[in-house]
Amino acid sequence: MTIQSMSKMPSVGFAAGMWRVIKSIALLRESWVGMIGAFLVLFWILVAVFAPLITQFDPNASIQPYARPGTLSASGSIFWLGTDHLGRDILSRIVWGSRTVLFYAPLATLSAYTVGILMGLMAGYRGGLVDDILSRISDIILSFPVLVLYIIVIATIGASGFNIVIAITFASSPGIMRIVRGLVLDLRNRDYVAAALTRGESDWRIMLYEILPNARGPLIVDACLRLGYVIITIGVLGFLGLGLPPPDPDWGGMVNETRQMAIVFPYMTLFPCISISSLILGFNLLADGLREISLRD
Amino acid sequence: MTDTDEPVLVCKDLCISYYTRAGEIPAVVDFSLTVRPGETIGIVGESGCGKSTVAMAIMQHMGANGGIKSGSITFKGRDLTRLNEEELRSIRGSEISMIYQEPFASLNPSLKISTQLMEVPLAHENISKAEARERSVQILRDVKIADPERVMNSYPHQLSGGQQQRAVIAMGLLSKPSLLLLDEPTTALDVTVEAGIVNLIADISEKFNTSQIYISHNLGLILETCDRVFVMYSGEIVEEGTIKSLFNSPRHPYTHGLFSCIPLITTDKNAAPLKPIRGQLPLPFERPLGCYFGPRCDHFLQGVCDQAHFQMKTVGGEPDHRVRCLRYEEIDYKQVVSNTETKVSPEIGKRVLDVDGMKKYYEVKDSSLAALISGKSVRYVKANEKLNFTAHESETVAIVGESGCGKSTFAKVLMGLETGTGGEIRHNGKEISHIKVRDRSTEQIRSLQMVFQNPFDTLNPSHSIGGQISRVIRQFGVETDKKKVFDLVMTLLDTVKLPRDFYFRKPRQLSGGQKQRIGIARAFAGNPSIVIADEPVSALDVSVAAAVTELLMDIQREHKTTLLFISHDLSVVRYLSDRIVVMYLGHILERGTTAEVFAPPYHPYTEALLSAVPIADPDIIKRRIVLKGDLPSAMNPPKGCPFCTRCHRRIGDICDLELPSEQLVKDRHVIKCHIPVDVLSRIEPVIRKPGESDLNHA
Amino acid sequence: MVLLIIKRIGFMIFTMIVVSIILFLLLETGLTGDPATRVLGHFASDEQKELWRDQHGYNQPVVFRYTKWLGHFATGELGTSIRYKGPVKDVLLPRLWNTAILGFWTFAIMIPLSLTLGVLSGMKEGSFLDRVISVCGILTTSVPEFASAVFFSALFVFGLQWLPGTSSMTNGFEFKLLILPAMVLVVYDFGYVARMTRASMAEVMTSQYIRTAILKGLPYRQVILRHALRNALIAPFTVIMLQINWLLSGVIVVEFFFAYKGFGALLLEASLNNDIALLEACAMVAVVVAVSSQTIADIGYTFLNPRIRFS
């Protein structure tokens, strides 16, 4: 490699970055568990993205109550998964419901991570009083049974998508903080951090540039697991009637609305349950695959 | 020990492979060895040569992915490779035992020593618990543990490192095995503790009539413990022989190369620079055709050495000495040795560093109930107590000591990662011990840099080499223009003799030695006036370490840098330093020029340290001093002289009660001891070569 | 050691006080909306609300009200439930007992199951058995409790018609009615505990002291039972104690689904009906249970670990 070609560094760096992403996806191929997970997740992402193209009915429109799966509708389209007691097409509701889940779950996870990582970095790197205060706060929040916490928070601030994001951030960031803190406590004793200190780098640069990138492995795996768990939470809140206000489709809420009729019309509850389980399974399998790969090198 | 004795162990044409996702990795390709009763065999080689694999193969404990491809391991007439689990179990621990590198990790943390010892005879012999206990106490006494009853009732974490290793050795000897495998048994221990363990090991075969296989990377230790030695390189034995014939006339170029890489306590950097072996150990699947050492060998002959794989040959006149080299008879090492270059000692310049009564205490909160009640909840650990020394331009000052002696704390204060509690450190006349690194000027930061110990830790694994060096250059304001920064990185890579395309590599693509070179490049990027190197080569293999050491010395010479070299290894220190500071539990016990420190009068601790250094030279006669006990904890140091608990020259209560003051021997040679200098001067030297009255005055 | 226990208990009390303050602020003050509106509804007139506030002492200073409230709590004076028109204590205690029964059976099945599976798969990491157990664990933890309740009902209630679909226990206690709720809780939780046990066991099995034990020639059983388990079960102990916290969440869903008259369903009802006194009592009970189990976990951990016990 000549000096001339080397001086075009940024583009080389970008290409190298892209190459790394491609390589990590290719690595996943070696773990069949991870592949299945990636496939499931990708499937639901595509469903959510192409929701208008897939569905033939308005998810909130009352068309024909209690239609069995496969019934032909008046408009000539088929209710592939039947309709619910209010006559709404279940397939359409599931497909549009995937948008709700895949919008709020990543948003809530991202928000929890932003708060958790910042807290963890501060607590782990600064130590001392900052660490004591942050750790005590998170201990207290973590001592609540999670769902009790959600119920109280939602009961007081009301049920809405935004409030769910806030509640999840509040309840999960302490857990993320603990993980980050643990990683930082280990990483900050590395010689490269000492080297950065001895050349007078700022605290933020050390936290964000020297420490955080090296914690990414366990954090990515944890994020996948947590995403699955957040989806469960959103589903459970919907199921308990504390989720998104009706009529917009929400998988947990669909189960709640129709479970009384499950003995006669089991398909009304089964399909949303299968959908949510498969999406969570996707994230959990993906996490397992990623961990397996990260342990390998 | 006669040749008619039936051998205890015979390994014949052993091939061992590991099977991984990437395919088969042949770890050991050709290994044959015979152990006779009562004999101690040494296996020496660098990391990755397959020596530990051999030990695990003998124990038949290879893990799920390892397997013996061909060959046999015959122990007392039985082929171990053909035994089933149950038969193996009856041999393991009773007839063959093993001692491990890290004693703490190899003891179960939640079982008492008594349980762990007693279960060995209980598993193999039909005896009562009381009998097993009695025998365990006896064996602890045999391995020279002072209070066996207390140790029996302790958990591993309550013992010191030396006691732990003695307990592990006791465990190995409990059922009087015929063969004892020792895998780097002293690597994790401090030198003075190591000396005691080595002494113990050397006595084992006599006392218990046990044959031993001693695995080590340290030729000096092999010399002190073994009868015969096998040198391994890249999965095969390249040379074997009795200690005498192999150490006196090594025949294989690799063995010879190894000896040239070790700084001997009798040489120094200017008279006989180290001659590193070039290149690196080939990866198992990259081994060349013919001689595996070929690409690194100075005597490589195309068309001869790179043909087929060849067998060991017996050296004429020495039945036990065999070598795997086609050209061993042609090579005349004497010829090569005479070409040795010598280097010119650099001019020592002005004084750049003044350490004046520097103190560093750490506050430790004692949260035990007793401490809370008595009100003494805060204690001080005196990590550095009144350090005094100076360093000049172009000078190499070594700071020597074992773990907990405070050498790393000193480095931290000097670098501004911690601030001193009292006294001063002046750099070019300016006080710096109370200024944190953030508050220092760029100029001060730039001129005081550090090379770190652990090669796997010194570089940030997430960023490219180029990015990391560029950052240093920009941070120090040496260059800001992108193009110029880039050019400077290239120059630095040239300086540390690495290819320029390393710019784009990630640290994980580099070997340990290469990472350490980058670490050196990073430290010298801002042309510092002082570089502090904290055990920069202790984690590297000897052949690599030699190259890195030489590189460091060359750059230092060129830049007229003051080098503060922190080490526990006296041979390296003797080799490269101009002045030496000996530390123990936060105190400087002796300081002076290298020649002064290495010759009487010694501080008793220096004397013991010198005696503890394993020397890979059979001609040298060493006076053995084995210190009793272990290093006291820095949390709870002795009241008087820090060394009084272990001192072999203790003169009385004064040692226990009063901290000795510094005695000036002459010029800048200082000893901190109650024994008068003229008494210390009469002590005979620890190390001498026959025929020389005292090599240290030479 | 003693100090450590005192510290843990001190922290436990501190946590409970902080939690009580948070609860008080959330539910009893205007911080998140007017409590009077919450109780009386949006259509109550201003006079009605004012009267209610006066009657219930809401016009007194916050600090004074909090101390009084806390005093009542500490003495077991839990107030009156608006919905059940009676003392909270009378409503709460039988419900707690029901949940305790459900929790007991869940743990009685889950702990041996998950520990056995975890140890088995951790013993030989990467073996076929390990892979199967791991994948099963991932599969079951991926199904939310309400979904597995739906699946199990579909199978055992509607399909095979073995079990009843609700567990309201209107005709007194019936063991049969516990099966489905407990099963749902076990299935959701065992995967996590098993995974933690496996990780702990696998780590121990690769440790050097296990190699030492094997190479001492000990029988394999002894290596596992004496050397491995003792160290491998320290971490799962903490995990299991923390599962009590999880269980408190799980019972809410399960009791709601199966109409089981337990504590979780009561908490949910209270929150949906704005039954503040009841909600406060339930929340405090949940926190007390969770925090004390954590304290026991912490203290137990130090007891199990000789490195901490003797330092």
Side-chain angles (χ1 to χ4, degrees):
Chain A
M1 214 183 294
T2 64
I3 298 297
Q4 274 72 24
S5 75
M6 278 174 154
S7 53
K8 293 173 190 161
M9 277 167 347
S11 61
V12 174
F14 178 73
M18 283 311 290
W19 177 235
R20 273 225 319 279
V21 172
I22 294 167
K23 260 197 341 208
S24 5
I25 294 173
L27 267 177
L28 205 56
R29 216 181 35 202
E30 287 184 26
S31 151
W32 61 271
V33 168
M35 275 307 276
I36 295 173
F39 171 78
L40 283 172
V41 170
L42 199 66
F43 169 79
W44 282 110
I45 289 174
L46 290 177
V47 166
V49 169
F50 295 108
L53 300 179
I54 299 167
T55 57
Q56 279 140 331
F57 301 97
D58 177 351
N60 294 328
S62 206
I63 306 164
Q64 180 188 342
Y66 305 109
R68 298 260 165 199
T71 309
L72 194 70
S73 77
S75 64
S77 309
I78 297 170
F79 297 119
W80 288 110
L81 303 179
T83 62
D84 66 6
H85 57 298
L86 296 178
R88 298 173 295 190
D89 179 41
I90 290 177
L91 177 66
S92 304
R93 287 183 72 71
I94 286 178
V95 168
W96 285 93
S98 71
R99 279 197 163 187
T100 318
V101 160
L102 284 173
F103 175 72
Y104 284 114
L107 186 68
T109 312
L110 198 67
S111 143
Y113 258 87
T114 314
V115 177
I117 284 179
L118 285 178
M119 283 169 67
L121 283 173
M122 299 282 279
Y125 184 72
R126 286 280 168 82
L129 193 66
V130 181
D131 182 21
D132 281 347
I133 293 172
L134 288 174
S135 296
R136 285 300 93 88
I137 292 176
S138 67
D139 280 352
I140 289 170
I141 298 175
L142 285 174
S143 68
F144 269 101
V146 205
L147 200 49
V148 176
L149 188 65
Y150 286 132
I151 288 174
I152 293 169
V153 172
I154 300 286
T156 50
I157 64 177
S160 77
F162 184 64
N163 286 352
I164 287 177
V165 171
I166 290 182
I168 289 174
T169 306
F170 183 67
S172 353
S173 46
I176 298 165
M177 180 210 126
R178 272 196 187 176
I179 297 173
V180 175
R181 178 178 173 273
L183 291 167
V184 171
L185 282 181
D186 173 29
L187 291 172
R188 76 166 193 190
N189 291 324
R190 301 293 167 93
D191 284 346
Y192 53 81
V193 174
L197 279 168
T198 58
R199 57 173 193 265
E201 301 279 9
S202 72
D203 280 345
W204 281 109
R205 167 135 185 136
I206 291 175
M207 282 190 245
L208 298 177
Y209 187 82
E210 303 286 347
I211 294 180
L212 194 57
N214 296 307
R216 67 179 187 271
L219 287 183
I220 290 171
V221 173
D222 178 73
C224 266
L225 285 175
R226 213 166 274 276
L227 207 48
Y229 187 69
V230 167
I231 296 170
I232 293 187
T233 305
I234 293 177
V236 165
L237 287 176
F239 169 74
L240 295 177
L242 298 167
L244 302 173
D248 279 334
D250 158 39
W251 292 347
M254 289 169 74
V255 179
N256 183 31
E257 288 163 17
T258 57
R259 69 189 184 94
Q260 305 295 348
M261 289 156 280
I263 191 154
V264 194
F265 308 104
Y267 59 90
M268 289 186 192
T269 48
L270 274 178
F271 291 124
C273 283
I274 291 171
S275 309
I276 195 168
S277 304
S278 65
L279 179 56
I280 298 161
L281 182 66
F283 279 112
N284 285 349
L285 291 178
L286 189 60
D288 195 61
L290 288 174
R291 178 172 32 221
E292 198 183 315
I293 287 162
S294 71
L295 286 181
R296 203 170 292 159
D297 19 74
Chain B
M1 206 200 312
T2 58
D3 284 350
T4 52
D5 281 345
E6 194 198 343
V8 175
L9 183 85
V10 181
C11 296
K12 204 166 178 312
D13 307 328
L14 210 52
C15 289
I16 307 166
S17 286
Y18 288 103
Y19 301 91
T20 66
R21 212 165 265 276
E24 179 189 331
I25 297 174
V28 173
V29 282
D30 186 0
F31 184 89
S32 300
L33 152 140
T34 307
V35 184
R36 296 170 206 135
E39 187 182 39
T40 303
I41 297 287
I43 300 180
V44 70
E46 297 178 280
S47 58
C49 72
K51 54 192 194 299
S52 291
T53 306
V54 168
M56 282 306 159
I58 295 170
M59 295 306 287
Q60 286 292 299
H61 185 72
M62 316 269 302
N65 58 355
I68 292 176
K69 247 178 90 181
S70 61
S72 63
I73 304 171
T74 314
F75 174 73
K76 290 186 171 173
R78 299 161 82 184
D79 187 351
L80 295 178
T81 60
R82 287 162 200 276
L83 300 187
N84 64 28
E85 257 324 291
E86 193 49 37
E87 290 167 316
L88 280 173
R89 194 182 71 69
S90 66
I91 290 178
R92 287 175 185 157
S94 81
E95 301 210 52
I96 310 178
S97 293
M98 185 155 177
I99 314 291
Y100 314 87
Q101 182 167 353
E102 283 164 53
F104 182 64
S106 44
L107 289 167
N108 191 328
S110 58
L111 294 178
K112 285 186 181 171
I113 298 294
S114 57
T115 319
Q116 303 193 46
L117 284 178
M118 281 156 62
E119 67 186 1
V120 176
L122 286 173
H124 292 292
E125 292 160 61
N126 193 13
I127 59 170
S128 72
K129 272 199 172 172
E131 219 173 313
R133 186 175 180 93
E134 200 179 305
R135 215 199 279 178
S136 303
V137 173
Q138 182 52 44
I139 201 91
L140 283 178
R141 218 167 268 138
D142 287 346
V143 295
K144 300 194 177 100
I145 282 185
D147 41 357
E149 284 296 342
R150 188 189 68 82
V151 169
M152 282 290 274
N153 286 318
S154 302
Y155 286 95
H157 72 272
Q158 294 168 312
L159 305 179
S160 67
Q163 282 175 320
Q164 285 168 0
Q165 193 58 297
R166 281 173 199 270
V168 173
I169 292 174
M171 202 155 82
L173 292 173
L174 250 177
S175 53
K176 307 220 172 357
S178 333
L179 180 64
L180 191 63
L181 298 177
L182 303 111
D183 189 0
E184 307 257 9
T186 60
T187 310
L189 304 173
D190 275 312
V191 266
T192 53
V193 179
E194 172 183 81
I197 301 281
V198 168
N199 245 10
L200 174 69
I201 291 169
D203 291 342
I204 285 176
S205 47
E206 230 173 286
K207 215 165 162 183
F208 294 87
N209 192 29
T210 303
S211 305
Q212 297 179 81
I213 296 180
Y214 190 104
I215 295 170
S216 179
H217 66 279
N218 189 325
L219 280 167
L221 284 175
I222 296 281
L223 172 69
E224 293 188 5
T225 47
C226 300
D227 303 318
R228 283 194 298 145
V229 56
F230 289 68
V231 181
M232 285 188 79
Y233 181 79
S234 192
E236 61 179 18
I237 291 173
V238 291
E239 185 164 6
E240 59 170 276
T242 59
I243 290 288
K244 211 175 137 223
S245 71
L246 193 134
F247 276 70
N248 282 329
S249 52
R251 299 300 185 127
H252 197 281
Y254 174 65
T255 320
H256 201 265
L258 271 186
F259 280 107
S260 318
C261 287
I262 315 170
L264 286 179
I265 210 132
T266 47
T267 60
D268 72 60
K269 59 184 167 185
N270 297 316
L274 298 180
K275 285 195 298 298
I277 304 173
R278 61 192 151 85
Q280 297 176 41
L281 188 75
L283 292 170
F285 38 85
E286 285 174 357
R287 287 177 187 136
L289 193 67
C291 178
Y292 294 163
F293 187 63
R296 302 176 72 185
C297 183
D298 288 335
H299 311 283
F300 179 75
L301 205 61
Q302 214 163 13
V304 178
C305 299
D306 56 359
Q307 299 304 304
H309 190 242
F310 39 83
Q311 297 301 315
M312 302 280 282
K313 283 186 196 167
T314 305
V315 174
E318 297 270 1
D320 273 341
H321 198 154
R322 299 178 345 128
V323 59
R324 197 189 297 272
C325 179
L326 291 176
R327 304 189 63 224
Y328 79 94
E329 281 166 315
E330 304 163 30
I331 304 167
D332 182 6
Y333 293 111
K334 300 248 160 34
Q335 170 86 41
V336 183
V337 168
S338 66
N339 292 342
T340 306
E341 48 169 338
T342 53
K343 288 180 180 173
V344 188
S345 171
E347 199 76 5
I348 303 291
K350 62 181 197 315
R351 183 189 287 195
V352 290
L353 187 75
D354 252 304
V355 182
D356 188 358
M358 203 282 281
K359 282 195 257 181
K360 173 67 190 172
Y361 295 173
Y362 285 105
E363 243 178 60
V364 178
K365 288 212 177 73
D366 188 346
S367 56
S368 76
L369 205 57
L372 209 66
I373 292 164
S374 63
K376 287 181 197 157
S377 61
V378 176
R379 289 196 297 168
Y380 291 96
V381 172
K382 295 174 180 173
N384 284 165
E385 183 70 314
K386 285 203 181 148
L387 303 189
N388 292 306
F389 70 93
T390 54
H392 295 242
E393 190 184 81
S394 298
E395 197 175 39
T396 305
V397 178
I399 303 174
V400 182
E402 297 172 275
S403 58
C405 73
K407 51 193 199 280
S408 298
T409 304
F410 170 73
K412 279 184 185 158
V413 176
L414 185 63
M415 298 307 297
L417 299 179
E418 309 262 3
T419 50
T421 315
E424 287 194 342
I425 299 177
R426 286 185 300 276
H427 174 219
N428 288 331
K430 270 193 193 147
E431 209 290 322
I432 53 168
S433 73
H434 296 285
I435 311 172
K436 279 231 167 200
V437 64
R438 291 261 160 67
D439 304 323
R440 291 184 183 177
S441 66
T442 311
E443 176 57 30
Q444 277 175 322
I445 291 175
R446 187 187 60 71
S447 61
L448 244 176
Q449 277 296 302
M450 183 154 176
V451 179
F452 295 88
Q453 174 175 14
N454 186 346
F456 300 97
D457 235 25
T458 187
L459 301 178
N460 190 326
S462 295
H463 306 298
S464 72
I465 302 298
Q468 296 191 52
I469 304 180
S470 308
R471 175 69 197 172
V472 181
I473 295 169
R474 276 198 299 271
Q475 178 77 7
F476 291 163
V478 181
E479 288 292 348
T480 42
D481 177 60
K482 223 174 183 174
K483 181 78 179 63
K484 283 187 179 156
V485 170
F486 181 76
D487 289 345
L488 190 51
V489 176
M490 290 301 136
T491 319
L492 280 167
L493 284 175
D494 293 344
T495 314
V496 294
K497 294 176 185 142
L498 289 176
R500 291 188 156 199
D501 67 343
F502 271 37
Y503 188 96
F504 297 101
R505 297 239 185 135
K506 283 285 177 65
R508 71 181 136 79
Q509 294 166 291
L510 271 58
S511 70
Q514 290 168 337
K515 284 182 200 171
Q516 224 39 349
R517 283 164 190 262
I518 299 291
I520 292 172
R522 187 175 59 186
F524 281 89
N527 200 5
S529 76
I530 300 179
V531 165
I532 179 158
D534 187 357
E535 309 245 16
V537 297
S538 65
L540 302 175
D541 274 319
V542 274
S543 67
V544 180
V548 173
T549 311
E550 282 307 301
L551 175 76
L552 192 59
M553 307 270 63
D554 286 345
I555 300 180
Q556 182 207 6
R557 266 191 203 100
E558 203 178 303
H559 289 70
K560 295 189 171 165
T561 318
T562 307
L563 185 65
L564 296 184
F565 193 91
I566 297 180
S567 182
H568 67 279
D569 184 347
L570 274 184
S571 1
V572 177
V573 164
R574 155 89 209 192
Y575 170 74
L576 55 72
S577 60
D578 303 309
R579 300 182 56 77
I580 295 177
V581 172
V582 180
M583 286 185 74
Y584 187 81
L585 284 185
H587 293 261
I588 293 180
L589 295 184
E590 180 169 2
R591 62 173 201 268
T593 65
T594 308
E596 285 164 351
V597 171
F598 273 73
Y602 306 115
H603 187 284
Y605 176 61
T606 316
E607 189 188 356
L609 263 185
L610 274 175
S611 161
V613 185
I615 303 169
D617 185 342
D619 292 340
I620 279 182
I621 298 166
K622 212 167 69 172
R623 192 152 51 80
R624 274 187 188 240
I625 301 158
V626 174
L627 294 179
K628 55 182 179 233
D630 281 312
L631 285 160
S633 141
M635 289 281 289
N636 198 6
K639 235 187 191 162
C641 170
F643 190 52
C644 70
T645 53
R646 303 174 72 201
C647 187
H648 56 290
R649 295 192 186 278
R650 190 174 161 276
I651 49 172
D653 287 345
I654 187 170
C655 293
D656 301 339
L657 300 173
E658 232 175 274
L659 184 69
S661 53
E662 292 187 346
Q663 302 187 67
L664 188 69
V665 181
K666 62 170 188 204
D667 201 10
R668 286 154 73 202
H669 184 198
V670 170
I671 292 176
K672 210 186 233 179
C673 186
H674 287 297
I675 307 172
V677 172
D678 53 327
V679 176
L680 290 174
S681 306
R682 285 196 293 269
I683 294 170
E684 65 173 300
V686 177
I687 297 164
R688 53 163 78 239
K689 230 174 178 164
E692 279 179 40
S693 58
D694 183 357
L695 85 115
N696 299 302
H697 290 311
Chain C
M1 185 70 204
V2 182
L3 200 76
L4 196 92
I5 294 173
I6 296 172
K7 259 190 194 160
R8 287 307 315 175
I9 293 174
F11 181 66
M12 177 174 93
I13 294 165
F14 172 72
T15 308
M16 287 174 190
I17 290 172
V18 172
V19 166
S20 72
I21 293 175
I22 295 170
L23 267 181
F24 183 81
L25 289 177
L26 281 177
L27 297 169
E28 295 271 353
T29 66
L31 203 67
T32 53
D34 183 15
T37 318
R38 209 180 291 146
V39 174
L40 300 176
H42 285 283
F43 303 107
S45 70
D46 285 349
E47 290 85 54
Q48 281 173 315
K49 286 187 201 166
E50 194 51 41
L51 188 70
W52 182 86
R53 279 194 206 110
D54 232 26
Q55 269 177 356
H56 293 83
Y58 276 79
N59 287 332
Q60 287 157 321
V62 176
V63 182
F64 176 76
R65 272 167 54 211
Y66 171 72
T67 355
K68 205 168 117 190
W69 180 80
L70 194 68
H72 280 172
F73 245 105
T75 51
E77 186 63 49
L78 301 179
T80 315
S81 160
I82 300 165
R83 188 176 146 78
Y84 288 90
K85 311 262 186 281
V88 164
K89 215 191 322 187
D90 296 350
V91 186
L92 190 60
L93 285 180
R95 294 293 198 109
L96 264 179
W97 176 244
N98 283 347
T99 296
I101 296 173
L102 177 61
F104 171 79
W105 284 107
T106 306
F107 268 57
I109 301 165
M110 182 191 76
I111 293 171
L113 180 75
S114 51
L115 289 186
T116 316
L117 292 181
V119 167
L120 282 179
S121 59
M123 254 162 65
K124 275 225 167 82
E125 210 184 354
S127 65
F128 180 70
L129 184 71
D130 176 33
R131 293 305 298 166
V132 170
I133 294 174
S134 294
V135 171
C136 275
I138 294 173
L139 205 70
T140 53
T141 37
S142 298
V143 183
E145 284 121 332
F146 69 85
S148 54
V150 165
F151 295 144
F152 287 145
S153 302
L155 183 63
F156 295 108
V157 181
F158 313 135
L160 300 169
Q161 305 206 328
W162 285 352
L163 295 166
T166 57
S167 311
S168 53
M169 309 260 177
T170 35
N171 309 319
F173 182 78
E174 262 186 89
F175 192 74
K176 208 174 163 188
L177 300 183
L178 266 182
I179 296 175
L180 272 182
M183 193 151 92
V184 168
L185 288 172
V186 168
V187 163
Y188 181 68
D189 252 15
F190 91 87
Y192 182 71
V193 182
R195 194 191 302 181
M196 290 296 139
T197 313
R198 171 190 180 272
S200 174
M201 185 71 185
E203 197 193 321
V204 167
M205 288 308 286
T206 54
S207 70
Q208 295 192 26
Y209 58 82
I210 291 299
R211 185 182 70 184
T212 310
I214 293 172
L215 297 187
K216 268 183 194 175
L218 300 181
Y220 194 64
R221 272 173 61 93
Q222 198 176 336
V223 172
I224 297 292
L225 293 179
R226 184 184 286 173
H227 286 267
L229 282 188
R230 196 178 291 236
N231 293 296
L233 291 183
I234 294 176
F237 169 77
T238 318
V239 173
I240 286 169
M241 288 310 287
L242 295 180
Q243 286 306 298
I244 293 178
N245 202 331
W246 280 89
L247 191 74
L248 284 169
S249 299
V251 289
I252 298 177
V253 176
V254 168
E255 292 178 355
F256 176 61
F257 191 96
F258 291 105
Y260 184 82
K261 293 260 179 274
F263 162 80
L266 188 69
L267 190 143
L268 186 66
E269 263 172 59
S271 104
L272 292 175
N273 294 316
N274 278 316
D275 194 342
I276 292 179
L278 188 59
L279 181 57
E280 283 166 359
C282 289
M284 273 319 274
V285 168
V287 170
V288 168
V289 171
V291 175
S292 13
S293 64
Q294 270 164 46
T295 308
I296 296 171
D298 279 349
I299 295 172
Y301 180 78
T302 55
F303 260 106
L304 289 175
N305 197 335
R307 267 205 245 180
I308 304 178
R309 203 175 350 140
F310 295 101
S311 62

